[in-house]
């Protein structure tokens, strides 16, 4: 379709990527975010090859490579440091045709904002929309109104538009664990170079992965009630207690992290839901499929959404609602399956059924590395860009 005006609510990974893709298609695009300063939640993110391929197709291959860490292997160790499994990622990269890039979120956001050729309108909280026969109007808390051919609601896991699309509220569900994450300078004492280093035990997990600029993105997961009232000055003591007796690199990590720049997040997911679209309004990214981080796929699914949605708008010519329906029908099965798989993985890792987690620890010891990379490849190759 020619000459569309697209209104995007939310300047996260999903909204910005959709904005870039739709601008490249020649459409008029306005992006709005409620915050006064864009600040990503969390420190790092691993973009697996399916997400990177979307960025490649948008001409951002060199930019993502420049900020990404070189991750050539994964190691799993027990909490005391016994090597459980060592997985070479090069066969995976050969198989799927693109390496994954762990990145600092701030770098990714800066890259996406720079790639969007327009202004991101900050301090604009969208509170409602009105649809009419030939278009739709977004209404903002500050009194601003703007009309276009469609709205993309990329407003995150707590989307306020989801209820209107579904005609009922669907709330995020707690995944059973708290995740601390941040960045530390890379150091061989913490983790071997170019390796994603993971420690598991007691239903907890400690992880370090390389990102650009000689830093490591770390996260530490602990199953706990979902309260979120701890403050940064207690993080180190909390973590020392939860990871008491764990291997020396984990102790070093807790000693070195900067609590003031460490995020502490109660992990939630949302869905699967049955509808992503109503009329001229489409949910995109976490608004449609909030995903546990345990597969590293939530952001990648938002990238895939952006690619698929922009392609249906460009390639089909019946009507905007028709293109959105095609987007929904292609994305629903894929993204909902990833939500379910990530939830299953979160439960396996974090001891929802302790027997299942014990069996997983055993499996890690015995599993051929090719089985691990095959499972990752299957998820990657299920996306729209093979
Ligand atoms: P968001 O990033 O949540 O952006 C939504 C935006 O909408 C925000 O900027 C918000 O301010 C704005 N907004 C909300 N309401 C309004 C409103 N009413 N009006 C205007 N603006 C509004 N994914 C991966 O692919 N790999 C990983 O390794 C990975 N690790 C993760 C680790 C953690 C700890 C977590 C929590 C998630 C992880 N994810 C990962 C998932 C990934 O972060 C999300 O899937 C992704 O950020 C979703 O992007 P989004 O654009 O849909 O939503």
């Amino acid at each position: 379709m020619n000459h569309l005006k697209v209104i995007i609510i939310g300047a996260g990974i999903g909204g910005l990527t959709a904005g870039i893709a739709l601008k490249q298609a020649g459409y008029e695009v306005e992006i709005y975010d409620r915050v006064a300063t864009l600040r990503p939640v969390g420190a790092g993110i691993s973009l697996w090859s399916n997400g990177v391929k979307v960025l490649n197709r948008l001409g951002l291959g060199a930019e993502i490579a420049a900020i990404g860490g070189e991750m050539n292997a994964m190691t799993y160790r027990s909490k005391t440091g016994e090597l459980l499994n060592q997985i070479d990622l090069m066969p995976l990269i050969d198989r799927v045709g693109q390496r994954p890039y762990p990145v600092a979120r701030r770098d990714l956001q800066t890259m996406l904002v720079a790639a969007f050729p327009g202004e991101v309108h900050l301090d604009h909280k969208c509170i409602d929309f009105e649809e009419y026969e030939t278009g739709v109007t977004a209404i903002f808390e500050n009194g601003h109104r703007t009309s276009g051919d469609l709205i993309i609601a990329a407003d995150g896991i707590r989307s306020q538009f989801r209820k209107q699309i579904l005609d009922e509220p669907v709330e995020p569900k707690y995944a059973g664990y708290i995740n601390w994450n941040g960045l530390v300078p890379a150091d061989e004492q913490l983790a071997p170079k170019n390796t994603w280093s993971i420690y598991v035990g007691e239903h907890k997990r400690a992880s370090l992965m390389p990102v650009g600029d000689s830093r490591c993105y770390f996260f530490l997961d602990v199953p706990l009630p979902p309260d979120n009232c701890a403050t940064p000055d207690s993080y180190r003591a909390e973590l020392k207690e939860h990871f008491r007796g764990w291997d020396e690199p984990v102790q070093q990590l807790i000693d070195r992290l900067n609590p003031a720049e460490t995020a502490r997040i109660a992990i939630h997911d949302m869905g699967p839901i049955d509808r992503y679209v109503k009329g001229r309004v489409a949910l995109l990214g976490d608004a449609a499929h909030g995903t546990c981080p345990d597969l590293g796929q939530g952001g990648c699914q938002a990238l895939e959404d952006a690619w698929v949605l922009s392609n249906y708008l460009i390639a089909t010519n019946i009507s905007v609602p028709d293109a959105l329906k095609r987007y929904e029908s292609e994305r629903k099965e894929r993204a909902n399956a990833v939500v379910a798989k990530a939830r299953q993985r979160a439960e396996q890792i974090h001891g929802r059924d302790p027997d299942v987690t014990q069996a997983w620890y055993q499996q890690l010891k015995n599993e051929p590395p090719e089985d691990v990379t095959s499972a990752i490849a299957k998820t990657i190759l299920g996306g729209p860009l093979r």
Side-chain angles (χ1 to χ4, degrees):
M1 274 170 284
N2 295 325
H3 308 303
L4 295 178
K5 178 175 165 189
V6 185
I7 300 162
I8 299 178
I9 307 302
I13 297 170
L16 286 169
T17 308
I20 295 163
L22 292 162
K23 268 282 201 186
Q24 288 186 4
Y27 298 138
E28 187 182 343
V29 179
E30 291 178 357
I31 304 184
Y32 293 89
D33 202 290
R34 65 179 169 190
V35 298
T37 311
L38 286 178
R39 229 181 275 120
V41 178
I45 183 166
S46 66
L47 290 183
W48 286 93
S49 315
N50 52 318
V52 177
K53 286 180 186 178
V54 172
L55 296 172
N56 290 343
R57 289 293 291 263
L58 295 175
L60 295 169
E63 284 82 349
I64 187 70
I67 60 172
E70 195 176 324
M71 190 167 78
N72 297 336
M74 284 166 76
T75 59
Y76 276 101
R77 292 181 183 277
S78 71
K79 65 174 193 160
T80 50
E82 179 202 353
L83 185 65
L84 302 175
N85 211 328
Q86 172 127 26
I87 299 146
D88 180 3
L89 290 176
M90 297 317 285
L92 168 77
I93 294 167
D94 284 344
R95 181 155 165 204
V96 302
Q98 171 59 54
R99 64 165 49 251
Y101 283 122
V103 292
R105 280 187 191 251
R106 209 172 283 268
D107 296 349
L108 178 64
Q109 187 166 63
T110 302
M111 183 196 96
L112 293 173
V113 170
F116 175 68
E119 186 191 350
V120 176
H121 301 274
L122 299 175
D123 226 349
H124 277 71
K125 180 177 180 189
C126 190
I127 52 170
D128 205 357
F129 65 86
E130 279 167 6
E131 192 170 337
Y132 46 97
E133 208 185 321
T134 55
V136 60
T137 301
I139 301 164
F140 296 84
E141 197 172 54
N142 60 10
H144 182 68
R145 295 169 75 94
T146 187
S147 298
D149 295 286
L150 66 144
I151 291 179
I152 297 175
D155 56 337
I157 192 167
R158 299 188 188 279
S159 166
Q160 75 172 77
F161 293 101
R162 190 164 57 234
K163 186 174 163 200
Q164 279 158 280
I165 305 293
L166 299 176
D167 299 320
E168 59 173 355
V170 175
E171 299 302 330
K173 298 185 295 279
Y174 184 51
Y177 69 97
I178 301 286
N179 167 289
W180 288 257
N181 67 74
L183 298 169
V184 288
D187 186 335
E188 294 269 335
Q189 282 186 327
L190 293 176
K193 202 169 172 232
N194 302 345
T195 298
W196 179 13
S197 202
I198 309 157
Y199 293 80
V200 293
E202 302 169 343
H203 310 161
K204 302 171 194 168
R205 184 167 57 152
S207 153
L208 283 142
M209 46 168 70
V211 298
D213 217 8
S214 299
R215 293 165 297 170
C216 277
Y217 160 50
F218 72 83
F219 61 81
L220 297 147
D221 294 344
V222 181
L224 285 171
D227 75 283
N228 215 355
C229 50
T231 54
D233 50 358
S234 68
Y235 291 175
R236 204 185 313 278
E238 250 187 306
L239 290 167
K240 278 284 175 185
E241 184 60 32
H242 291 311
F243 291 91
R244 188 187 303 181
W246 284 51
D247 202 20
E248 185 53 23
V250 179
Q251 304 307 322
Q252 288 275 333
L253 169 63
I254 298 171
D255 290 335
R256 294 183 196 192
L257 61 81
N258 177 354
E261 289 182 9
T262 296
R264 184 185 191 276
I265 301 173
I267 298 298
H268 287 73
D269 66 0
M270 191 289 304
I273 59 172
D274 225 26
R275 210 188 295 160
Y276 289 8
V277 163
K278 191 176 188 185
R280 292 174 176 272
V281 182
L283 300 172
L284 183 145
D286 277 13
H289 42 71
T291 307
C292 291
D294 301 79
L295 289 181
Q297 277 291 338
C300 296
Q301 294 309 301
L303 290 164
E304 289 185 0
D305 284 353
W307 176 252
V308 171
L309 177 51
S310 62
N311 274 295
Y312 279 118
L313 287 169
I314 297 162
T316 62
N317 206 11
I318 296 175
S319 66
V320 166
D322 171 77
L324 298 189
K325 272 284 165 208
R326 289 172 197 275
Y327 154 76
E328 175 186 84
S329 106
E330 180 168 336
R331 291 303 300 154
K332 214 170 59 175
E333 197 182 327
R334 159 76 168 160
N336 285 355
V338 171
V339 171
K341 202 167 166 184
R343 165 60 77 152
Q344 192 186 28
R345 181 92 176 141
E347 293 179 351
Q348 179 187 49
I349 293 171
H350 299 104
R352 181 157 195 267
D353 176 343
D355 291 343
V356 169
T357 305
Q358 281 309 322
W360 179 59
Y361 294 157
Q362 277 307 316
Q363 181 192 328
L364 279 176
K365 278 192 196 174
N366 306 326
E367 198 171 22
E370 311 80 64
D371 288 6
V372 177
T373 46
S374 282
I376 300 173
K378 196 168 164 211
T379 302
I380 290 170
L381 294 173
L385 296 173
R386 315 235 155 96

